[in-house]
Amino acid sequence: MSQFENVSVIKKANVYFDGKVSSRTVVFNDGTTKTLGFMQPGEFVFDTSKKELMELLGGQWEILLPGESEWKTFTAGESFNVDANVSFKVKVSEFADYCCSYTD
Amino acid sequence: MSQFENVSVIKKANVYFDGKVSSRTVVFNDGTTKTLGFMQPGEFVFDTSKKELMELLGGQWEILLPGESEWKTFTAGESFNVDANVSFKVKVSEFADYCCSYTD
């Protein structure tokens, strides 16, 4: 699915890490939300409040999942899941274009 | 209007200037499009192919409009128009969250 149809989009971006990470919230008819985000080069720690499915749409990122000691490299089209109430780390060398789905 | 309703959103970002500028395309029922974009610190030159209405949603930018010699500073909520087939310059010190409407 290359586009989301019949959705609402909140105009203003969500801004994190001084703007190095930004995202837009997409609201679906059933009330669920996803965010479409973009990361600059850097290393970022994210704390989850819900289960998340993170899909890399473009660029590249390395991920350190909770409880793991080895970073994993992902390329466009690949995704991973994280539980609620955990932290995970993301390392970006060029940029990362992503979609985050809340799967609770 | 804080959100766009009953629209389609193309998932993949448009990426410019090595990712320092990125945007998402929003498609309306009448076939018109807008982009919701985000700029990192830097100075950027944009060439227009259509008339554009540029609205700053968050952050700050300075704009050098075609044919002008003085930069103008804009804050969130302010907007400006540019003609088709011109160049304009944008200087960003922290970040700029914006909406671009094609007004042809």
Side-chain angles (χ1 to χ4, degrees):
Chain A
M1 183 178 44
S2 66
Q3 64 182 45
F4 297 129
E5 293 176 4
N6 290 310
V7 294
S8 296
V9 184
I10 296 170
K11 282 176 74 176
K12 223 168 145 50
N14 311 304
V15 180
Y16 309 99
F17 303 105
D18 298 324
K20 288 195 168 60
V21 178
S22 65
S23 71
R24 308 275 170 186
T25 303
V26 179
V27 185
F28 292 76
N29 281 333
D30 63 2
T32 60
T33 61
K34 295 179 193 285
T35 55
L36 289 167
F38 203 87
M39 299 184 189
Q40 298 298 313
E43 190 174 320
F44 310 105
V45 180
F46 293 94
D47 300 313
T48 64
S49 58
K50 295 179 175 181
K51 284 186 185 179
E52 295 181 3
L53 167 66
M54 293 283 282
E55 178 190 0
L56 187 65
L57 304 173
Q60 197 184 63
W61 59 20
E62 288 172 78
I63 305 295
L64 186 64
L65 287 168
E68 302 207 357
S69 57
E70 286 195 15
W71 291 81
K72 283 182 192 161
T73 300
F74 292 77
T75 55
E78 295 181 320
S79 56
F80 64 90
N81 289 281
V82 276
D83 282 333
N85 305 310
V86 298
S87 291
F88 66 98
K89 291 184 183 174
V90 180
K91 219 185 299 187
V92 175
S93 56
E94 294 183 12
F95 68 83
D97 176 19
Y98 70 92
C99 179
C100 176
S101 303
Y102 301 100
T103 58
D104 260 355
Chain B
M1 182 178 45
S2 66
Q3 63 181 45
F4 297 129
E5 291 174 6
N6 290 311
V7 294
S8 296
V9 184
I10 295 170
K11 284 176 74 176
K12 223 166 145 54
N14 311 304
V15 181
Y16 309 99
F17 302 105
D18 299 323
K20 288 196 167 61
V21 177
S22 65
S23 72
R24 307 274 170 187
T25 303
V26 179
V27 185
F28 292 77
N29 280 334
D30 63 2
T32 60
T33 60
K34 295 180 193 284
T35 55
L36 289 167
F38 203 87
M39 297 184 190
Q40 298 298 312
E43 190 175 320
F44 310 103
V45 179
F46 293 94
D47 301 313
T48 64
S49 57
K50 296 180 174 181
K51 284 188 186 180
E52 295 181 3
L53 168 65
M54 292 284 282
E55 179 190 0
L56 187 64
L57 303 173
Q60 198 185 62
W61 58 19
E62 288 172 79
I63 304 296
L64 187 63
L65 288 168
E68 302 209 355
S69 57
E70 286 195 15
W71 292 81
K72 284 183 190 160
T73 300
F74 293 77
T75 54
E78 295 182 320
S79 56
F80 63 91
N81 288 282
V82 277
D83 282 334
N85 305 312
V86 297
S87 291
F88 65 100
K89 291 184 184 176
V90 180
K91 220 185 298 187
V92 175
S93 55
E94 294 183 12
F95 68 84
D97 177 19
Y98 70 93
C99 179
C100 175
S101 302
Y102 302 100
T103 59
D104 260 355

